[in-house]
Amino acid sequence: MDPPFQEKYKSLFNDYTMVSNDKDDNLMNSSDGWELPLIDLQRLTLKDPVIREKCVEEIRQAASEWGFFQVVNHGIPQEMLKSLQNEQRKAFHHPFSKKDEDNVLNLSANSYRWGNPRATCLRQLAWSEAFHVPLTDISRICDEHKTLSASIEDFAATANTLAQGMAEILAENLGVSSTFFQENCPEETSYLRMNRYPPCPFSSEVFGLVPHTDSSFLTVVNQDQIGGLQLWKNGRWINVKPNPEALVINIGDLFQALSNDVYKSIKHRVLAPQQVERLSLAFFYCPTYETVIKSCIKPSMYREFTFREFMMQIQRDLKATGDKVGVSRFLL
């Protein structure tokens, strides 16, 4: 069922020479892991305005200082998340040929992805596979996986509500219209990405997912307890300790530009697991392609741009260099 990484990228392995300018860039970092800020969202539902405001301030502080935080009592039942992870595993455990050639889930073309076809060295190779699922594709999923389809639909609806609520809280102090996200981020413009990281015999040499930032406003992540997520903080990579009760939320590039760098889209990566597979599911909260991203804070650090312009620039950079440049392309 695993993609043929070694066969496909044989030349990269043959040419491999360990090169790193980062003194702390040890992929086998064995530290116990850092606890991300943990926020109990139940406090947002309480009548006490002091308690609610304290929760709001914690969300904004975590978004500003970390770019990542964890939430509990988020409105998505644990039973739903466990069921979805089981169905996700079933989908990935089909033979590779069925996933790659037969479109086993009946999704749009090129929805199944693995490795990195643009990789020119091992450090650009992602030892992972994924199903990219636009929310408009959920109804296409074949009857054989109707339980997966139903689980994804339920998760997407609740994750969208969660993401919109977090976005509105984060934008309240930025001068952004209170209806901005409701008007520009209809549910069908967001998408899901189901990820699987197979066991990797070269886990000290390749990533599960290469360092990157997310091209969204916010990303909501459900991960298993294997670990492997790292983020760049204070000039070094730190391990993020999984919390079985929590979802991870991180700031995307669009929110960094919208907030004029009040909130930061932090570079992160995933280590390739050595002996066991790792699963995660990410919901990317995105606007329509015509949505204009501009900060209400003056002077603005970024020129205004549409989401379409942003995504087209990413594709140009990937084609030219193999790497995403991101929001810095739009700095004034």
Side-chain angles (χ1 to χ4, degrees), residues 149-173:
S149 176
S151 298
I152 287 179
E153 192 167 23
D154 289 344
F155 174 79
T158 46
N160 188 75
T161 299
L162 172 62
Q164 182 176 317
M166 292 297 96
E168 289 173 350
I169 284 172
L170 290 168
E172 278 176 354
N173 62 336

Side-chain angles (χ1 to χ4, degrees), residues 18 21 23 47 59 71-72 89 99 101 124 132 168 196-197 242 278 282 300 308 325:
M18 190 71 159
N21 296 320
K23 295 179 181 179
K47 294 181 179 179
I59 293 169
V71 294
V72 294
R89 183 176 288 106
K99 293 179 289 188
E101 300 169 8
Q124 291 181 341
H132 178 95
E168 289 173 350
R196 176 179 177 263
Y197 304 87
R278 177 184 186 268
S300 177
R308 187 184 304 278
V325 178

Side-chain angles (χ1 to χ4, degrees), residues 104-121:
V104 67
L105 296 184
N106 195 41
L107 297 170
S108 297
N110 302 316
S111 290
Y112 175 70
R113 304 169 185 183
W114 64 282
N116 177 7
R118 295 189 177 99
T120 58
C121 63

Side-chain angles (χ1 to χ4, degrees), residues 181-197:
F181 294 102
Q182 185 177 349
E183 292 171 353
N184 292 289
C185 300
E187 188 171 332
E188 62 268 18
T189 62
S190 296
Y191 66 94
L192 290 164
R193 187 179 175 100
M194 299 189 293
N195 301 300
R196 176 179 177 263
Y197 304 87

